[in-house]
């Protein structure tokens, strides 16, 4: 029987994807799990796995073409059967996201399924700029780039007031908005400083996605923030000892230790490995921690997967591999979309403290600063200790401050007794 | 200017027109001895006699047919249909004869008749006696459709209707009969057709209504100003045919938002027509899709609470406006 392979939705905000390269050619045998193509989304290039087995009968979409999520891109079937005449037809119904079969857990029960409502994909035009007609016209007349605006209307629609606010902001630019046949200038007019001149740069897809997701977070997730100091003296000593005998691939970073500490703490505080929905709190079974990676094109946060039982050494190997593949645009779909918690770390830049914006729909993010030597009072004496500031930003719809405090204390305790990370 | 109720203002208009023009006469069920179901024609039989105020049998198609014949022959009849619901029985006469004769006779025959009807829900008269069919009559070319919201408008528009050479469907909302207002007593006071009335000026949103729904819109505008600081402009269309779309467009160009309020059902109703015209003429001025606040898509319930729920309320209007910001 012919099986349609569709453009998958890799991440909640993906609306279309570009077929970069076919990895299986017409006539090739495909086994479930094989990589059949590379897909480029607005964030990364990912490999598309086959969900079914069969013979690849037709490439419906050519390399380089961009098509909406849910559209048929290839046909699998038996070697002998006739290929249905599919020719870039949009799906008749809104495509449901194809999710892998649920994996039975140890006690034989299935993990909770995603509620049906959450599986409904946004309409295919969700990525289209939402702007009212009058806002578009006013922006056109004022020469304002609407793609650079953030809408304040329903569902983020850009309204006239948003354009007018932007025009007001731009009014200090001398030539940009002044009409050619301007009215006579008032007698007293302050000369605009030359430094106020500006140019508008187009937004990359990754910039647009970051803008959309961070705005969504701040508009829908009420954040609360908790910060504390972690005494990393013992942890730094522990790391030095580990790395002295480790291969280069197993070399443990400070961030790896933070990841391990968070993975342990999340098992004991499931509300921070959750997401809010109107139906209730969804507590994730898997612990998948996104780590922020700054690329030249912008910020991405792929996930280290299934951390519940991974050792520090495994985390060290996998995090290096993840960063390497992220730099080359070779992330897999689940790494891009399956994160349940995020760590953002600017310690490498010497930043002392960092308060993050939650990565929606997650419930919390941990901001990590640099480890620096500081005078600290220990037992009534001033001592020089290695101190690292951590900041928890959490969704107040999911958890309260006291729960957040217990969670961040747990992370602190694990890092200050680093032997616990070795398990 | 004396203050009076809308029913009295309508009677004043009929009386003044009968005094002015002896070809004007009235026909309808119970309009003579009884004075009309809503007491609009009370006292006119005594003043003008049976020749000019005629009680008729319960036969709507017949009454309207007689009216059309009289108008064709040079008289100026006013036919009262007890409620708009009964006008269904006269629909063939109204649509196939009154609205078309001028066109089909190449302008040789016109039908200067005024057909008055009581319309609207809100009085627990149940599904068959609570229609709002202004939009239905506005659908037919060849008819003028008038729907006043105040005593002064009722008088000025009804007097104007008797001076029109076409059939005028004059629709009165039952909830407005008792409404009080100042009414000019000048016998030459006329309100021209096709001139919408800006009842309240505003800068943030345009609320458009006619007949009964003007009052929900006005109350909503007050709530929006007091509770939300939103300045709403309220426009009373006064006549649906001819339609003063220019006033609506000018307002939308100022406010960038429009909400249409009507008692009629939303599906296929006049609000849809108005919404389309705003979109066609002011698309590049809109900051939000045009909203319609209309009656619910059910036959009117008899139960009082359900009837209220089925009719558009000022709260519904406020909600629709807030969804645009």
């Amino acid at each position: 029987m012919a099986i349609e392979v569709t453009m998958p939705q890799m991440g909640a905000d993906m609306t279309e994807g570009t077929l970069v390269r076919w990895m299986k050619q017409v006539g090739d045998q495909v086994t479930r799990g094989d990589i059949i193509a590379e897909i480029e989304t607005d964030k990364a290039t990912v490999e598309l796995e086959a969900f079914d087995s069969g013979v690849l009968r037709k490439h419906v979409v050519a390399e380089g073409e961009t098509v909406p999520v849910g559209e048929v891109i290839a046909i699998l079937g038996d070697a002998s059967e006739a290929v249905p005449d599919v020719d870039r037809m949009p799906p008749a119904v809104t495509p449901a996201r194809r999710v892998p079969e649920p994996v039975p857990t140890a006690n034989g029960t299935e993990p909770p399924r995603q509620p049906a409502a959450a599986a409904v994909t946004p309409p295919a035009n969700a990525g289209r700029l939402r702007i009212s007609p009058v806002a578009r016209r006013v922006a056109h007349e004022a020469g304002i780039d609407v793609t650079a605006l953030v809408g304040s209307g329903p569902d983020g629609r850009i309204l006239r007031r948003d354009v007018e606010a932007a025009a007001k902001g731009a009014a200090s630019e001398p030539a940009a908005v002044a009409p050619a046949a301007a009215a006579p200038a008032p007698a007293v007019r302050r000369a605009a400083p030359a430094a106020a001149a500006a140019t508008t740069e187009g937004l990359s897809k990754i910039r647009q996605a970051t803008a959309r997701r961070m705005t969504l977070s701040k508009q829908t997730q009420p954040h609360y923030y908790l910060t504390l100091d972690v005494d990393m003296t013992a942890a730094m000593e522990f790391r030095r000892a580990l790395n002295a005998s480790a291969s280069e691939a197993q070399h443990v970073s400070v961030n790896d230790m933070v990841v391990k500490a968070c993975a342990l703490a999340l098992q004991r505080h499931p509300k921070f490995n959750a997401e809010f929905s109107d139906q209730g709190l969804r507590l994730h079974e898997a612990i998948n921690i996104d780590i922020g990676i700054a690329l030249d094109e912008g910020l991405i946060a792929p996930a280290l997967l299934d951390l519940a039982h991974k050792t520090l050494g495994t985390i060290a190997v996998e995090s290096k591999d993840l960063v390497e593949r992220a730099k080359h645009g070779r992330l897999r779909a689940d790494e891009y979309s399956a994160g349940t918690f995020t760590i953002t770390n600017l310690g490498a830049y010497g930043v002392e403290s960092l308060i993050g914006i939650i990565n929606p729909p997650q419930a919390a993010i941990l901001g990590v600063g640099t480890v620096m030597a500081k005078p600290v009072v220990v037992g009534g004496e001033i001592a020089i200790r290695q101190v690292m500031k951590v900041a928890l930003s959490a969704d107040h719809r999911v958890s309260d401050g006291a729960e957040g405090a217990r969670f961040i204390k747990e992370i602190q305790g694990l890092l200050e007794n680093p032997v616990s990370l070795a398990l | 200017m004396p203050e009076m109720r809308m029913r009295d203002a309508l009677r004043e208009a009929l009386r003044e027109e009968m005094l002015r023009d002896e070809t004007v006469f009235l026909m309808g069920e119970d309009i003579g001895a009884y004075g009309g179901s809503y007491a609009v024609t009370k006292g006119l039989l005594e003043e003008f006699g049976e020749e000019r105020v005629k009680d008729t049998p319960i036969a709507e198609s017949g009454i309207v047919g007689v009216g059309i014949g009289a108008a064709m022959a040079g008289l100026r009849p006013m036919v009262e249909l007890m409620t708009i619901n009964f006008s269904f029985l006269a629909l063939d006469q109204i649509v196939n004869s009154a609205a078309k004769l001028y066109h089909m006779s190449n302008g040789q025959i016109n039908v200067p008749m005024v057909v008055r009807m009581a319309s609207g829900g809100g009085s627990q008269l149940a599904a068959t006696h609570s229609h709002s069919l202004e939009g239905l009559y506005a659908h037919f070319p060849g008819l003028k459709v008038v729907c006043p919201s105040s005593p002064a408008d009722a008088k000025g528009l009804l007097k104007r209707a008797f001076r029109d050479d076409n059939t005028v469907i004059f629709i009165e909302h039952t909830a407005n009969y008792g409404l009080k207002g100042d009414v000019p007593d000048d016998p030459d006071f006329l309100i021209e057709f096709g001139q919408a009335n800006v009842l309240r000026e505003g800068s943030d949103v345009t609320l458009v209504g006619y007949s009964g729904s003007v009052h929900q819109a006005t109350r909503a505008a007050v709530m929006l100003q007091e509770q939300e600081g939103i300045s709403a402009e309220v426009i009373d269309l006064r006549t649906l045919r001819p339609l003063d779309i220019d006033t609506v467009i000018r307002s939308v160009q100022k406010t960038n938002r429009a909400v249409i309020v009507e008692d009629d059902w939303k599906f296929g109703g006049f609000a849809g027509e108005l919404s389309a015209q705003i979109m066609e003429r002011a698309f590049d001025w809109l900051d939000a899709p045009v909203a319609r606040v209309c009656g619910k898509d059910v036959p009117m319930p008899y139960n009082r609470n359900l009837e209220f729920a089925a009719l558009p309320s000022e709260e519904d209007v406020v909600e629709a406006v807030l969804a645009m910001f």
Side-chain angles (χ1 to χ4, degrees), chain B residues 94-213:
Chain B
I94 295 171
V95 176
N96 265 332
S97 297
K100 292 175 184 166
L101 274 168
Y102 185 77
H103 176 83
M104 294 182 77
S105 69
N106 196 24
Q108 296 178 79
I109 303 170
N110 61 316
V111 185
M113 170 178 65
V114 178
V115 186
R116 288 181 45 247
M117 328 174 171
S119 157
S123 312
Q124 274 203 288
L125 294 173
T128 56
H129 294 80
S130 304
H131 292 104
S132 297
L133 301 174
E134 292 85 349
L136 175 85
Y137 284 105
H139 181 61
F140 303 115
L143 297 177
K144 297 202 171 169
V145 179
V146 181
C147 26
S149 69
S150 70
D153 281 5
K155 183 178 180 188
L157 290 165
L158 184 54
K159 284 169 67 70
R160 169 63 182 76
F162 280 99
R163 299 159 196 231
D164 205 283
D165 288 335
N166 302 280
T167 298
V168 176
I169 307 296
F170 196 94
I171 302 175
E172 301 152 12
H173 198 293
T174 51
N176 289 348
Y177 279 126
L179 216 62
K180 278 186 185 167
D182 291 337
V183 179
D185 47 10
D186 173 7
D188 293 324
F189 168 62
L190 300 174
I191 294 175
E192 199 43 57
F193 289 172
Q195 287 185 359
N197 191 13
V198 179
L199 289 174
R200 184 186 170 98
E201 296 212 350
S203 56
D204 300 332
V205 62
T206 301
L207 309 181
V208 186
Y210 58 85
S211 191
S213 67

Side-chain angles (χ1 to χ4, degrees), chain A residues 10-173:
Chain A
M10 297 173 286
D13 58 347
M14 171 176 169
T15 56
E16 58 178 29
T18 304
L19 203 135
V20 177
R21 194 150 62 100
W22 283 110
M23 310 293 280
K24 293 282 183 185
Q25 302 309 319
V26 173
D28 286 358
Q29 180 67 44
V30 174
T31 307
R32 188 191 152 106
D34 284 355
I35 306 299
I36 56 173
E38 280 182 8
I39 305 290
E40 188 179 65
T41 72
D42 54 4
K43 279 214 161 179
T45 304
V46 292
E47 291 171 336
L48 173 63
E49 285 182 21
F51 289 103
D52 303 283
S53 301
V55 174
L56 190 96
R57 298 299 310 276
K58 182 170 182 175
H59 288 160
V60 180
V61 170
E63 290 182 355
E65 271 191 89
T66 300
V67 297
V69 166
E71 190 158 323
V72 176
I73 59 173
I75 303 289
L76 292 181
D78 298 336
S80 56
E81 73 183 321
V83 181
D85 188 21
V86 179
D87 192 26
R88 293 292 315 279
M89 287 287 289
V93 291
T94 311
R97 179 177 173 184
R98 293 196 75 157
V99 289
E101 293 291 325
V103 182
T105 51
N107 60 9
T109 57
E110 285 186 2
R113 298 289 296 257
Q114 212 169 324
V120 175
T121 57
N125 64 352
R128 193 169 177 264
L129 189 68
R130 275 181 176 274
I131 178 167
S132 78
V134 69
R136 191 181 288 280
R137 184 176 56 77
V138 171
H140 180 74
E141 287 166 4
I144 287 172
D145 176 15
V146 293
T147 61
L149 299 180
V150 175
S152 67
D155 300 322
R157 183 186 294 126
I158 297 166
L159 301 182
R160 181 179 195 159
R161 63 179 173 228
D162 301 321
V163 177
E164 285 173 347
K168 205 170 284 176
S172 57
E173 301 170 26

Side-chain angles (χ1 to χ4, degrees), chain A residues 68-400:
Chain A
V69 166
E71 190 158 323
V72 176
I73 59 173
I75 303 289
L76 292 181
D78 298 336
S80 56
E81 73 183 321
V83 181
D85 188 21
V86 179
D87 192 26
R88 293 292 315 279
M89 287 287 289
V93 291
T94 311
R97 179 177 173 184
R98 293 196 75 157
V99 289
E101 293 291 325
V103 182
T105 51
N107 60 9
T109 57
E110 285 186 2
R113 298 289 296 257
Q114 212 169 324
V120 175
T121 57
N125 64 352
R128 193 169 177 264
L129 189 68
R130 275 181 176 274
I131 178 167
S132 78
V134 69
R136 191 181 288 280
R137 184 176 56 77
V138 171
H140 180 74
E141 287 166 4
I144 287 172
D145 176 15
V146 293
T147 61
L149 299 180
V150 175
S152 67
D155 300 322
R157 183 186 294 126
I158 297 166
L159 301 182
R160 181 179 195 159
R161 63 179 173 228
D162 301 321
V163 177
E164 285 173 347
K168 205 170 284 176
S172 57
E173 301 170 26
V177 290
V188 184
R189 189 169 189 174
R190 208 151 39 104
T199 55
T200 302
E201 226 175 62
L203 294 173
S204 67
K205 282 195 164 182
I206 191 162
R207 192 81 252 141
Q208 287 174 31
T210 303
R212 198 164 53 234
R213 293 178 58 73
M214 293 301 101
T215 303
L216 174 74
S217 175
K218 277 282 185 171
Q219 285 183 345
T220 59
Q221 297 187 279
H223 289 49
Y224 69 85
Y225 310 99
L226 307 173
T227 63
L228 50 70
D229 288 348
V230 179
D231 184 340
M232 292 291 284
T233 312
M236 298 309 276
E237 192 48 49
F238 175 69
R239 171 171 170 260
R240 221 177 341 268
L242 274 182
N243 286 347
S245 58
S247 70
E248 196 170 323
Q250 286 176 317
H251 212 89
V252 173
S253 69
V254 172
N255 203 57
D256 294 334
M257 291 194 289
V258 176
V259 170
K260 178 65 186 176
C262 287
L264 290 170
L266 286 168
Q267 291 177 61
R268 297 166 202 168
H269 302 268
K271 271 192 166 180
F272 297 87
N273 197 53
E275 77 185 61
F276 181 86
S277 78
D278 291 334
Q279 287 78 40
L281 289 188
R282 294 187 61 220
L283 304 175
H284 300 292
E285 299 221 337
I287 292 175
N288 303 326
I289 297 183
D290 285 335
I291 53 176
I293 299 173
L295 303 175
D296 292 342
E297 310 89 272
L299 172 74
I300 63 167
L304 291 162
L305 302 173
D306 294 321
L307 294 176
H309 305 292
K310 282 187 179 160
T311 63
L312 188 53
T314 308
I315 290 170
V317 172
E318 291 190 355
S319 68
K320 271 188 275 297
D321 175 56
L322 190 71
V323 171
E324 200 53 36
R325 284 189 292 110
K327 283 179 179 163
H328 295 94
R330 302 297 290 259
L331 294 169
R332 291 193 303 273
D334 49 355
E335 290 170 337
Y336 169 45
S337 62
T340 57
F341 182 82
T342 299
I343 294 172
T344 174
N345 187 336
L346 288 180
Y349 296 88
V351 168
E352 188 176 357
S353 90
L354 159 60
I355 295 174
I357 298 173
I358 298 169
N359 186 10
Q362 296 171 9
I365 184 169
L366 191 76
V368 181
T370 194
V371 179
M372 60 200 303
K374 277 191 177 175
V376 176
V377 178
V378 181
E381 301 284 324
I382 292 179
I384 305 295
R385 310 290 289 181
Q386 301 288 326
V387 177
M388 178 178 81
K389 281 193 185 294
V390 293
L392 178 74
S393 309
D395 186 337
H396 213 328
R397 299 174 304 173
V398 178
S399 65
D400 297 329

